[in-house]
């Protein structure tokens, strides 16, 4: 575990120093994280003898029984304070091993299902509550190279999958049939995102359901964001959003009004769906990365999100810092560098963007060869006090949001880890790797153990 010391405090941010490496973070997100992941105020007052955090679990349980909070139960912050210390870092075990690279692994919103996508035209849905048994084994249609993304509908009835093609396919996952072979045992309806019907025109890298399940939003290799109307079964909008591949799209919160996008043009952009159809312009820009954006994950509060980048960093952003224009060209002197087959130049790691608007920067993992993903840890069990990410160097990294320290480094796989997912309620994390394995990490005594 890395240990930092506080160097100075300003009105809006804190800077910590360790071994001449500085980490700066905005005070507001620090306070929000501490409130969301620490014991409630009434418990803190009652337990004044516990001057250091975290408060022991037994003490927290005694406080609950004594009803110090006056609620007769743990608050959500109390739950996060107790559960957040039990990191899913032990006992890695195989959920599945296939004959091709694993690209995607994601829990459903309620944690009852796990979706895993593989390069070899396969998507498997596992029933977490039934011993991780395969509930749906999907043989994908019209696959080009690999599955690039998958998404479950909000009601968990349908799954969409994308590839290096404008065609997205949708599958009913509630039919009761385990074996789903495209247009042989089940229909995999295709949704055509191309404007002119040219199915070789671009690739789709990222796809998301809207919060009401009526639309799909996608990012493509033709610099565009697409909106598909599922009820009308047609493409509703194409927006030329960036000047390079759009690798990732994400909604800001449950309203679905605000979206984020990240691109190989090194920019994160904020879009307000209530007005971008008319203006065709983003609500704002966020500069700071020196290379392309591979993934974006929202904190879900409409303000904060994180992004992974080929500049080998994860950055934390506050959209209230966005600008209406880009201030300068991104400084870059390594034009011959390509993340698909080259290591990141050592001399580039110390370079900084002159107009960096990020709230904090996290370093240690490796973003090479593929669009590696990063996430906030779950609200219920951790209070979103961690950021975790896959890495090309075969590890999963878990960072402390407030200090930037690497609190855990999960080492077991034999190849790059493109995706990973933390169970929304249990201390269980799943990683998907190019070593063909989807693995499960747990804390000893995890409730999910009993389901296995």
């Amino acid at each position: 575990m890395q240990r930092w010391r506080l160097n100075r405090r300003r009105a809006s941010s804190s800077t910590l120093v360790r071994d001449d490496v500085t980490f700066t973070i905005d005070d507001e997100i620090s306070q929000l994280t501490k409130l969301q992941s620490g014991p409630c105020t009434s418990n803190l007052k009652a337990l004044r003898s516990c001057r250091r955090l975290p408060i022991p679990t037994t003490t927290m349980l005694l406080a609950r029984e004594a009803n110090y909070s006056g609620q007769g139960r743990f608050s959500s912050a109390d739950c996060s304070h107790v559960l957040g210390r039990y990191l899913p870092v032990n006992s890695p075990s195989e959920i599945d091993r296939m004959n091709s690279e694993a690209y995607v692994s994601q829990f459903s919103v309620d944690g009852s299902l796990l979706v895993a996508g593989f390069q070899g035209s396969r998507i498997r849905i596992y029933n977490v509550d039934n011993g991780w048994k395969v509930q749906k084994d999907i043989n994908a249609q019209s696959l080009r190279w690999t599955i690039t993304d998958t998404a479950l509908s909000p009601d968990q009835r349908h799954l969409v999958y994308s590839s290096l093609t404008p065609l997205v396919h949708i599958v009913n996952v509630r039919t009761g049939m385990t074996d789903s072979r495209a247009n042989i045992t089940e229909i995999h309806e295709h949704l055509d995102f191309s404007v002119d019907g040219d199915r070789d025109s671009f690739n789709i890298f990222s796809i998301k359901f809207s919060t009401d399940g009526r639309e799909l939003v996608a990012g493509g290799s033709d610099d565009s964001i697409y909106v598909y109307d599922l009820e009308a079964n047609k493409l509703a909008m194409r927006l030329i959003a960036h000047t390079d591949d759009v690798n990732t799209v994400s909604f800001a919160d449950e309203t679905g009004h605000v979206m984020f996008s990240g691109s190989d043009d090194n920019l994160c952009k904020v879009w307000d769906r209530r007005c971008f159809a008319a203006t065709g312009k983003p609500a704002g820009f966020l500069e700071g990365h020196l290379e392309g954006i591979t993934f974006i994950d929202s904190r879900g509060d409409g303000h904060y999100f994180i992004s992974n980048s080929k500049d080998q960093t994860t950055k934390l952003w506050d959209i209230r810092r966005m600008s209406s224009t880009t201030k300068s060209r991104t400084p870059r002197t390594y034009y011959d560098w390509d993340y698909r087959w080259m290591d990141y130049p050592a001399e580039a790691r110390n370079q900084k963007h002159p107009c960096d608007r990020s709230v904090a920067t996290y370093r240690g993992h490796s973003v090479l060869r593929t669009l590696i993903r990063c996430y906030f840890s779950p609200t219920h069990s951790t209070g979103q006090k961690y950021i975790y990410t896959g890495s090309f160097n075969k590890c999963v990294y878990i960072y402390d949001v407030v200090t930037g320290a690497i609190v855990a480094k999960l080492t077991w796989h034999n190849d790059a880890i493109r995706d990973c997912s933390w169970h929304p309620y249990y201390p269980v994390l799943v990683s998907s790797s190019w070593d063909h394995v989807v693995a499960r990490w747990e804390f000893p005594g995890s409730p999910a153990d009993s389901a296995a």
Side-chain angles (χ1 to χ4, degrees), residues 16 42 155 178 196 231 329 363 365 377 381 414 446:
L16 301 115
S42 52
D155 61 7
T178 300
D196 54 7
E231 292 185 336
R329 292 182 178 270
R363 305 176 188 272
H365 60 293
S377 62
S381 59
N414 295 317
S446 163

Side-chain angles (χ1 to χ4, degrees), residues 61-82:
L61 291 171
L62 288 171
R64 184 184 66 179
E65 295 305 308
N67 196 22
Y68 289 155
S69 68
Q71 300 177 355
R73 57 181 174 82
F74 277 157
S75 67
S76 59
D78 289 333
C79 289
S80 297
H81 185 66
V82 172

Side-chain angles (χ1 to χ4, degrees), residues 149-307:
D149 205 1
T150 63
L152 274 172
S153 60
D155 61 7
Q156 298 182 188
R157 290 183 174 274
H158 295 91
L159 178 135
V160 293
Y161 60 88
S162 61
S163 184
L164 300 181
T165 167
L167 295 182
V168 171
H169 290 84
I170 186 166
V171 185
N172 187 337
V173 300
R174 294 283 188 89
T175 60
M177 184 177 293
T178 300
D179 187 22
S180 180
R181 297 179 182 271
N183 300 333
I184 298 177
T185 62
E186 290 186 332
I187 299 297
H188 293 194
E189 182 181 356
H190 74 260
L191 312 175
D192 192 351
F193 279 65
S194 63
V195 176
D196 54 7
D198 183 359
R199 296 181 179 179
D200 296 318
S201 54
F202 66 94
N203 311 320
I204 290 179
F205 295 124
S206 177
I207 192 158
K208 295 287 188 295
F209 272 97
S210 61
T211 50
D212 60 9
R214 296 179 179 179
E215 294 177 324
L216 291 171
V217 178
S221 63
D222 60 346
D223 315 342
S224 301
I225 295 173
Y226 290 85
V227 179
Y228 194 96
D229 187 328
L230 290 170
E231 292 185 336
N233 195 23
K234 67 177 183 179
L235 186 67
M237 183 188 306
R238 178 200 178 196
L239 181 69
I240 301 177
H242 289 266
T243 58
D244 210 328
D245 295 355
V246 180
N247 294 323
T248 177
V249 290
S250 179
F251 288 100
D253 54 29
E254 292 183 352
T255 66
H257 295 318
V258 178
M259 296 190 329
F260 308 134
S261 63
S263 166
D264 276 337
D265 63 10
N266 308 347
L267 293 174
C268 296
K269 293 187 180 182
V270 181
W271 306 88
D272 190 330
R273 298 190 61 203
R274 292 162 293 190
C275 60
F276 76 33
T279 66
K281 296 181 179 180
F285 301 80
L286 287 161
E287 298 177 271
H289 279 301
L290 298 172
E291 299 289 346
I293 318 300
T294 64
F295 197 74
I296 283 175
D297 184 50
S298 173
R299 194 172 184 269
D301 57 9
H303 291 155
Y304 295 98
F305 69 92
I306 54 174
S307 59

Side-chain angles (χ1 to χ4, degrees), residues 108-129:
S108 59
V109 173
D110 64 0
S112 64
L113 301 174
L114 173 75
V115 178
F118 301 85
Q119 186 178 15
S121 303
R122 299 289 288 279
I123 303 167
R124 283 188 163 179
I125 302 177
Y126 306 89
N127 189 321
V128 177
D129 299 330

